[in-house]
Amino acid sequence: MKEFEELVFKKTKKSRVKVGIALLLLGIALTLIGGRIFIGYTFASKDLADCNQDTIKNGYYKFNDVYELLGEYGYDNKGSGYVLILRDKTNPQELILMGMYFAKKDVDIAEKVSKAYWDSYDSGSNQFVYISGAGRVRDMKSDEKKVFREALFELDSDASSRSYLEDRMVYKTIEYKTFPRMMKVTDWVMVLSGIFLIGFSVYLFITASGGKSRKQVLENVAVSGMDPGIIANELKTAKSFGNVLVADDFVLFEGFTPRIFFYKYLVWVYGKVTNTQHKAYGIINTGTTTTYQISFLDVNQKNIMVPLSKGNMDDIITAMHENAPYVIFGYNEGLANEAKNNFNSVLNAVRRRKAELEEERNAAAANAVPWGQQADYSGYQSSAQQPDYSGYQSSAQQPDYSGYQNNAQTGDYTGNENGASSYGGEEGEDRGYSDQGFGNTADYGNVNDYNNF
C-alpha cells in the first residue's frame, strides 16, 4: 500500500508545495504593499521629538505631547495643514517649523489644540491641549510649500524675523491619524487578497498529500477491488503522457488534483478542444488560447471533465482505446443526445460489447496451441479473404465491433440496427437529434473518431 501511495501521489505533494510557496510569497507581498500604512503606523519606532532639520526624513514617526500648533496655513478637499513647532529636548530654544496635516474629520482636534496654545500664550497660563500618536512624514507639495512660507511670513514682516523663521522651516508634513482613512480601495483589496492567498497557501501545505482528491482516489481504488500492489506494478509500466499515466486497467491523472478512472466503470470518453480568442478593446485580436479537456462518462451517468496541461489529448485517448476497446471513444452529437435521454441503451451496448470481447478472449485462450505442439491450420477455409476474428463474416468490409452487422454503415452502439436511422428509432425514422443542453459542440475534439470503428 505504501508503494502504491508513493507512486500515485508523488507529484501531488510536489505540485501543492510549489504552488503553496508561490502563493505564500505573493500573499505576503500584497499584504505588505497594501498594508504599508497600517504597518508603518503600528510599528513606527522613531520619535519626532528626537529629530532636527538634518535628521528628519520621510517615513513613519511617533509623536508625543504635541501642543504647539500655530494655526492653519492651507487646506485641500480632504483636510487642512497646520504649522507645527517642534523643540529640541535639551535646548527648547532650538526649534523647527513644519506642517501637520489633519483630515477633515480631525480638524476640530487641530482647532482645539491651536486655540489652547494661543490662549495660554496670551494669558501666560499653561493650559495646553496635548496630542500623541503616529503619522507619516512626507515632503510638502510645491503649492503647499508656497502657502506654508506665506503663512509664516505673515506673523512678522520684519526682514530679520523672516530670516529667523526661514532658517528654521522644514518643508515636510506629518499626517495626523491617517490610518485607516488614508488607505485606498486598492490598498484594502491588496491586503484582503494577500490574507486570502496566505491562508490558501497554508491549506495547501496541510493538504500536500492530496486532501479531498486523495480521499476520492483511495475510495475509487477500494471500490474497484484491485489490489494496490497490482496497481503499483501497472503504474511502473504505464504509458506516460506528461502528468497522465495510461495503464492496462485505468488511467491516472497526477499532479495538483489527482484522479483515477478505471475502464470497467467507463461508458463514453471524448476530448474537447476550446479555442479562446482574446481581443483588446473588443476589436484588436491579441492572440488565441487553446485548452484541452477529456470528458469521462461512467456507469452512474456521472460526467467529469479533466483539464490537460498539454495538447496530448489524442495520444491519451488512443492509448486508452487500445486498453479498453469496449468503451465508446469520440464525440458524436447523436450519441450525446442518446446518452442524455436514453442512457441505459448506451450503457447496455457497452456491456454487450465488453461481454463479446471477453467471450472472444476466452475462446482464443481455449483454442490456444499447447506449448511445443505444431498448430494445425487445416481447419480454416481461405477464399481469398482474411479470417474474421469478430465472430462475423467479413466480405470486403471491416468487422463491426458494436455487435451488429455493418454493411457500408456506421455501428450503432445503442443496440439497434442503423440503416439511415437514428439511435433507438425505427428504420428510416428521423429522431431529430440535436445537442441541446450540451452547449456549443463545435470545439469538441474528434480526431480519432472511435465511436465509428
Side-chain angles (χ1 to χ4, degrees):
M1 188 67 173
K2 183 178 180 179
E3 181 184 20
F4 156 75
E5 293 187 6
E6 288 178 352
L7 289 173
V8 172
F9 304 112
K10 63 180 179 180
K11 291 186 178 180
T12 302
K13 185 175 183 179
K14 183 178 179 181
S15 299
R16 292 194 169 221
V17 170
K18 186 185 297 184
V19 173
I21 292 174
L23 293 181
L24 177 63
L25 295 176
L26 179 60
I28 292 174
L30 289 175
T31 303
L32 292 178
I33 295 172
R36 62 193 181 280
I37 296 175
F38 166 75
I39 295 171
Y41 290 146
T42 303
F43 298 99
S45 57
K46 295 176 289 185
D47 195 326
L48 197 62
D50 295 332
C51 298
N52 54 43
Q53 288 176 305
D54 298 325
T55 60
I56 187 168
K57 307 293 181 182
N58 291 351
Y60 295 92
Y61 291 82
K62 296 183 297 183
F63 53 87
N64 297 299
D65 297 332
V66 170
Y67 66 95
E68 293 182 275
L69 286 183
L70 301 186
E72 184 185 42
Y73 65 82
Y75 63 89
D76 57 20
N77 60 350
K78 294 182 179 180
S80 300
Y82 285 73
V83 178
L84 172 66
I85 297 176
L86 286 180
R87 297 184 182 274
D88 190 284
K89 287 182 177 180
T90 58
N91 184 8
Q93 299 303 315
E94 290 296 324
L95 56 87
I96 61 174
L97 299 166
M98 62 182 295
M100 192 169 202
Y101 186 84
F102 292 80
K104 284 184 177 180
K105 293 183 178 181
D106 299 321
V107 167
D108 289 344
I109 297 175
E111 286 294 322
K112 185 177 181 180
V113 174
S114 179
K115 184 178 184 302
Y117 171 76
W118 287 112
D119 288 346
S120 298
Y121 181 84
D122 293 337
S123 64
S125 64
N126 191 23
Q127 301 299 315
F128 300 114
V129 175
Y130 299 90
I131 55 175
S132 300
R136 179 175 68 106
V137 172
R138 58 170 174 79
D139 292 326
M140 285 187 177
K141 302 172 184 177
S142 58
D143 55 344
E144 184 182 5
K145 179 179 178 180
K146 179 181 178 181
V147 297
F148 177 75
R149 284 167 52 87
E150 292 175 351
L152 284 173
F153 287 164
E154 287 180 1
L155 293 176
D156 199 330
S157 59
D158 182 77
S160 61
S161 297
R162 288 190 173 190
S163 177
Y164 174 83
L165 292 174
E166 190 164 25
D167 288 342
R168 283 154 180 78
M169 290 182 192
V170 176
Y171 298 109
K172 291 184 180 294
T173 298
I174 183 168
E175 298 162 338
Y176 171 78
K177 285 190 177 179
T178 53
F179 173 80
R181 293 191 291 270
M182 275 201 63
M183 289 183 66
K184 301 177 181 178
V185 174
T186 53
D187 294 330
W188 285 110
V189 170
M190 283 193 288
V191 169
L192 295 176
S193 299
I195 293 174
F196 171 78
L197 292 178
I198 292 173
F200 188 64
S201 66
V202 173
Y203 167 77
L204 291 181
F205 293 140
I206 295 174
T207 61
S209 60
K212 184 178 179 180
S213 57
R214 177 190 181 93
K215 181 180 178 180
Q216 290 175 341
V217 169
L218 295 178
E219 287 177 350
N220 289 342
V221 170
V223 170
S224 72
M226 283 192 67
D227 187 298
I230 296 177
I231 295 177
N233 290 332
E234 286 196 19
L235 286 174
K236 295 176 183 178
T237 58
K239 294 181 179 179
S240 177
F241 303 94
N243 67 330
V244 182
L245 296 177
V246 180
D248 293 340
D249 295 292
F250 59 87
V251 58
L252 172 67
F253 290 83
E254 299 179 302
F256 191 86
T257 305
R259 291 181 180 275
I260 190 169
F261 297 91
F262 291 90
Y263 304 141
K264 62 183 179 179
Y265 298 125
L266 296 179
V267 175
W268 183 23
V269 178
Y270 62 86
K272 178 180 180 181
V273 181
T274 304
N275 295 308
T276 304
Q277 181 71 51
H278 303 284
K279 293 185 177 182
Y281 309 106
I283 301 174
I284 305 173
N285 292 332
T286 58
T288 302
T289 301
T290 302
T291 57
Y292 301 88
Q293 293 176 301
I294 296 181
S295 173
F296 294 87
L297 181 65
D298 65 16
V299 295
N300 296 316
Q301 208 172 353
K302 183 179 181 180
N303 184 267
I304 299 176
M305 298 291 293
V306 181
L308 298 176
S309 57
K310 296 180 180 179
N312 48 13
M313 179 184 70
D314 293 327
D315 294 334
I316 295 171
I317 293 178
T318 298
M320 292 176 61
H321 168 249
E322 293 174 353
N323 292 337
Y326 51 87
V327 176
I328 302 174
F329 291 88
Y331 187 80
N332 178 285
E333 290 187 15
L335 181 58
N337 192 58
E338 191 72 12
K340 179 181 179 181
N341 300 310
N342 195 10
F343 177 73
N344 286 336
S345 66
V346 181
L347 175 60
N348 291 334
V350 172
R351 287 174 173 171
R352 284 195 297 271
R353 177 57 189 152
K354 184 177 180 181
E356 290 172 3
L357 289 174
E358 291 178 352
E359 185 178 348
E360 292 173 11
R361 189 180 301 111
N362 293 335
N367 296 327
V369 178
W371 179 261
Q373 179 176 325
Q374 184 66 36
D376 181 10
Y377 298 100
S378 61
Y380 295 92
Q381 296 294 326
S382 175
S383 177
Q385 68 177 32
Q386 296 296 321
D388 179 8
Y389 296 102
S390 67
Y392 308 96
Q393 292 297 323
S394 175
S395 177
Q397 67 178 35
Q398 295 295 322
D400 178 9
Y401 294 103
S402 66
Y404 310 97
Q405 295 295 330
N406 186 351
N407 295 311
Q409 67 182 30
T410 302
D412 178 8
Y413 295 93
T414 65
N416 305 292
E417 293 295 334
N418 187 354
S421 65
S422 301
Y423 293 102
E426 297 296 331
E427 184 173 354
E429 178 187 355
D430 183 5
R431 287 277 296 276
Y433 292 120
S434 69
D435 61 350
Q436 184 177 3
F438 282 76
N440 182 8
T441 59
D443 58 350
Y444 283 97
N446 200 21
V447 177
N448 297 315
D449 192 10
Y450 296 113
N451 61 57
N452 296 319
F453 281 91

